[in-house]
Amino acid sequence: MDPKLFGEVFVTLLVIVDPPGMMPIFLALTGPLSARDRHRAAWQAVALALGVIVVFAVAGQTLLAYLHVDLPALQAAGGLLLVLVALELLTGKTDDPTQQSTSNIALVPLGTPLLAGPGAIVATMLFVQRADGATDYSAIAAAIVAVMLTVWLVLRFSGGIVKILRPGGIEVLTRIAGLLLAAIAVQLIADAVAAFVTQYVNMA
């Protein structure tokens, strides 16, 4: 295994996924849940993200080509989905535990598009394209697993912050997370539009 490639992939994906930045969003979405449900949501989200990234690493180019979908379109779709989640956080629709479904929260938006978002997917696909031989592929695979394990550890032990913040703090954190998530969503959509414009200008 190439340690240099492992480090490059690990650092790149860790910066893109941003576990510390994910924590307030995770706590905002799972704050009303019990500790057991929060822990379950953490591993389900990480497991889904790992599966999505692996699928796109192995067959991403083929899948997108078959569907005639460009990467900017995937990025814009992720941004639109995050806008909906951000609006729910800002309007307080996630505050009622009876309206929450642990599996849904873990799968969308935590698993995808937050953890396995366009940035992580594209970066992984590019690393796979550059790979040469089994040693490179093993380094990429090990780095992906290491990043997901790091994310799981951060989310798994974020419950202590819930005890410190109490309900009032969680509510404030929810609104802040909604604002940050809305900003991320707008940036994703803006980048996708810019990529489309650049693509069509180059074609012209």
Side-chain angles (χ1 to χ4, degrees), residues 40-52:
R40 185 185 304 126
W43 75 257
Q44 286 178 340
V46 170
L48 174 66
L50 178 61
V52 170

Side-chain angles (χ1 to χ4, degrees), residues 122-187:
V122 172
T124 304
M125 289 170 61
L126 292 177
F127 279 121
V128 170
Q129 286 180 354
R130 288 169 39 194
D132 182 21
T135 55
D136 285 354
Y137 290 124
S138 63
I140 294 172
I144 293 172
V145 172
V147 168
M148 290 298 112
L149 180 60
T150 302
V151 173
W152 177 78
L153 289 173
V154 171
L155 298 184
R156 170 64 176 78
F157 294 103
S158 62
I161 299 177
V162 174
K163 297 178 182 178
I164 297 173
L165 292 177
R166 307 290 178 143
I170 289 292
E171 184 175 352
V172 173
L173 186 63
T174 298
R175 302 299 179 262
I176 296 174
L179 183 61
L180 294 175
L181 200 57
I184 294 171
V186 171
Q187 187 64 55

Side-chain angles (χ1 to χ4, degrees), residues 26 30 33 36-46 102 106 110:
F26 176 77
T30 62
L33 301 178
R36 181 178 179 181
D37 286 341
R38 191 181 306 114
H39 297 162
R40 185 185 304 126
W43 75 257
Q44 286 178 340
V46 170
T102 304
L110 289 177

